[in-house]
Amino acid sequence: MENSIDDREIQVIRAAVAATPACLPIEKLCSLLHEPRDSDPQLLAAAHVAACVHCSIELSLLREFEFPQPQAGEEAAVDWIAARLSRDVSARRSCPQIIGRDRDAGRRAWWRAMFTPRFASSTAVAFATVLLLISAILYVRRPMEPRLASSPAAAEVQRSTSIVALGPLGELAQRPATIQWRDAAGASSYRILLMEVDRTALWRADASGSEIAIPERVRSRIVPGKTLLWEVTARSASGSEIGSSGLQRFVLKLNK
Amino acid sequence: MGGLTDEELIATSRARPKSSEAFDALDELFRRYFSRVALWCFRLTGDREIAEDLSQEVFARAYENLDSFQGNSRFSTWLYAVTRNHCTNRMKSRAAAPVQFGEGALAHLADVRQLDPQTMLEQAEAVRAVINDALDETEQKVLVLHYGHEFTLDTITRMLGLTNTSGAKAFLVSARRKLTGVIRQHRAVDSRRRR
């Protein structure tokens, strides 16, 4: 009873931590952070923050953004992301025509892409319409989805890409413990992605060999009757993508 | 470009829109904030690929809305607001409501009545006092981030760098234990008053 909480109690807590009309706008918080607190408005604002849990947390969030202090485990990830952002900008500078040609760069055609000439836009719209029509026809005429293989462990599936997926595939009697594939020539590492059918990522991992154990917390999310997808992509020593298994699917059999 | 302030870079980009100089100014401006935005996105998601995508979206959104930056605050503060709003919206659309452990389905079904505004105001005021007086700083942060910002407990654990076994959950349980006592006292007084 002590730990339970009902909706009305949550309503009250939400109301208690919400901003009040007296709370400070972000500009005031910014000023508290960067300007000396020696004027009356600044002192009043500081007094409000001291008494207001909402504003004090807002100020601390802003402070963390303005004066970031990455923890040990975060530095590498932040450097990696910043390097990727930086690389995309550099790529665009040195090779503007890359936009729209390179899949990865195309996806990352952020603010620079907004400047790309619009002279071809009508052609692009016409082309897109034709593509849409073709896609619609293909969709309507698509063949029925093939039955999932009943004994996937023995089967090897070679997709059009370079990595042979070994398992898990098809209908399974037991939760898979590993994901396996065949080594791809020239690959120095692999990226494994386990997804739900709507492509929501359940788990990402990197591996250097041709097998990876699925962690227990992820395995517990593999439930009977729920189809999951996975894909392995191979990377070269330089980090570029050199092959993929394509999307593979498996489902744990329902217990009857 | 490196010697210009953020605001000067924006002025440069506005002076000659879509020129090479404007590109350079925006590149320089955004580069300065790659790490900050990346850290924020990484703390929110805990996944560097998703954080990278999110960071890209943030900068694209910042570019789209750059005209709305009026110089009322620093550019960094404006970018923080863009980052926070975008990330919060994306996280909400990716996930369901925050984890509400211990809040059984029956309680949700049985207790969806709204409090009348006056009672809500009084109880919220009392709870606010308890939050200020009885909760420690981490409990306060967890409570506000969870119920005010609707961050998940995993996200809050990362944001606050909590290293205890159950992360933010422990602090939320402790905070709620302190608060529900006060709310229930008020509720009892309120129901006696109504009788």
Side-chain angles (χ1 to χ4, degrees):
Chain A
M1 181 66 190
E2 194 179 9
N3 270 340
S4 70
I5 184 164
D6 66 33
D7 273 4
R8 284 183 294 172
E9 287 162 349
I10 292 173
Q11 280 178 43
V12 173
I13 294 175
R14 285 193 199 287
V17 299
T20 66
C23 284
L24 304 178
I26 190 106
E27 294 82 9
K28 283 270 187 200
L29 293 173
C30 169
S31 151
L32 271 183
L33 209 54
H34 295 288
E35 312 296 333
R37 300 181 181 187
D38 54 4
S39 63
D40 283 350
Q42 285 285 84
L43 291 171
L44 275 175
H48 172 82
V49 170
C52 172
V53 68
H54 176 88
C55 286
S56 68
I57 305 288
E58 289 289 330
L59 185 61
S60 83
L61 290 176
L62 178 60
R63 185 181 292 117
E64 279 164 30
F65 184 83
E66 298 270 21
F67 308 106
Q69 291 182 325
Q71 289 149 23
E74 295 173 330
E75 279 174 348
V78 169
D79 288 347
W80 183 85
I81 297 167
R84 302 267 293 189
L85 295 171
S86 206
R87 188 200 65 181
D88 294 336
V89 173
S90 302
R92 213 128 276 114
R93 269 176 185 284
S94 59
C95 189
Q97 65 272 26
I98 204 169
I99 293 171
R101 214 180 55 179
D102 173 59
R103 182 193 65 79
D104 206 35
R107 188 173 67 83
R108 297 183 161 81
W110 42 332
W111 81 85
R112 279 274 182 173
M114 295 175 191
F115 291 126
T116 51
R118 304 273 192 245
F119 63 86
S121 57
S122 56
T123 314
V125 168
F127 184 61
T129 309
V130 171
L131 275 182
L132 196 64
L133 275 172
I134 293 171
S135 304
I137 291 166
L138 288 176
Y139 180 76
V140 169
R141 293 166 59 89
R142 75 194 188 284
M144 293 299 290
E145 186 178 335
R147 284 179 61 79
L148 293 165
S150 56
S151 56
E156 288 186 359
V157 180
Q158 173 71 63
R159 303 288 168 183
S160 59
T161 44
S162 58
I163 301 178
V164 177
L166 298 178
L169 299 165
E171 276 194 338
L172 308 176
Q174 292 183 324
R175 282 194 179 89
T178 60
I179 292 178
Q180 294 172 287
W181 58 94
R182 183 156 290 172
D183 269 333
S188 70
S189 66
Y190 299 91
R191 164 66 44 89
I192 301 91
L193 178 59
L194 182 65
M195 295 163 274
E196 295 186 352
V197 288
D198 64 357
R199 311 295 168 88
T200 302
L202 284 180
W203 176 55
R204 287 174 209 267
D206 292 316
S208 54
S210 58
E211 179 180 9
I212 189 165
I214 305 172
E216 204 45 51
R217 65 179 169 80
V218 179
R219 287 186 77 213
S220 67
R221 298 180 70 177
I222 302 173
V223 294
K226 183 178 181 181
T227 300
L228 295 178
L229 308 175
W230 62 273
E231 182 177 20
V232 173
T233 51
R235 289 164 194 259
S236 67
S238 66
S240 57
E241 194 176 302
I242 58 170
S244 161
S245 65
L247 277 182
Q248 309 296 324
R249 66 175 61 208
F250 68 92
V251 61
L252 195 56
K253 270 185 193 169
L254 286 167
N255 296 321
K256 293 184 179 167
Chain B
M1 290 280 173
L4 299 180
T5 65
D6 292 352
E7 289 68 25
E8 286 166 344
L9 288 171
I10 292 170
T12 305
S13 77
R14 284 175 176 170
R16 296 184 59 200
K18 300 191 180 179
S19 67
S20 164
E21 206 179 355
F23 292 156
D24 292 343
L26 288 177
D27 282 354
E28 169 63 23
L29 179 66
F30 287 161
R31 270 179 204 277
R32 291 178 183 179
Y33 292 95
F34 282 168
S35 295
R36 290 194 207 181
V37 171
L39 177 60
W40 184 270
C41 294
F42 182 66
R43 278 189 181 162
L44 226 59
T45 62
D47 180 301
R48 67 178 193 180
E49 272 88 9
I50 297 173
E52 183 205 350
D53 286 346
L54 212 49
S55 303
Q56 303 234 3
E57 291 168 11
V58 165
F59 284 111
R61 184 158 286 258
Y63 172 75
E64 284 169 6
N65 294 294
L66 200 56
D67 284 345
S68 72
F69 175 68
Q70 301 296 326
N72 297 328
S73 65
R74 290 185 175 212
F75 173 76
S76 57
T77 304
W78 179 84
L79 184 63
Y80 161 74
V82 172
T83 305
R84 210 183 87 169
N85 290 343
H86 183 73
C87 290
T88 305
N89 291 339
R90 295 284 278 131
M91 294 302 285
K92 275 182 190 168
S93 67
R94 285 181 70 89
V99 181
Q100 295 180 334
F101 56 88
E103 294 153 19
L106 281 177
H108 277 269
L109 288 174
D111 208 359
V112 293
R113 290 160 293 170
Q114 298 287 314
L115 289 170
D116 73 79
Q118 183 57 34
T119 307
M120 169 74 85
L121 210 62
E122 288 170 3
Q123 292 189 6
E125 193 58 43
V127 166
R128 206 171 287 133
V130 177
I131 291 172
N132 281 330
D133 298 340
L135 267 51
D136 67 35
E137 194 183 335
T138 309
E139 289 171 340
Q140 288 180 348
K141 281 186 173 174
V142 171
L143 198 78
V144 172
L145 292 173
H146 187 63
Y147 288 118
H149 296 263
E150 300 192 13
F151 289 148
T152 65
L153 294 175
D154 284 345
T155 298
I156 298 168
T157 301
R158 279 192 302 274
M159 287 179 81
L160 301 184
L162 301 175
T163 53
N164 57 317
T165 312
S166 54
K169 184 175 176 178
F171 294 94
L172 192 66
V173 167
S174 157
R176 288 199 326 199
R177 189 173 290 132
K178 293 173 185 173
L179 297 180
T180 48
V182 177
I183 297 172
R184 284 169 192 174
Q185 272 176 14
H186 270 260
R187 196 184 279 182
V189 170
D190 189 48
S191 65
R192 277 201 298 275
R193 204 166 51 193
R194 283 167 195 267
R195 275 190 247 128

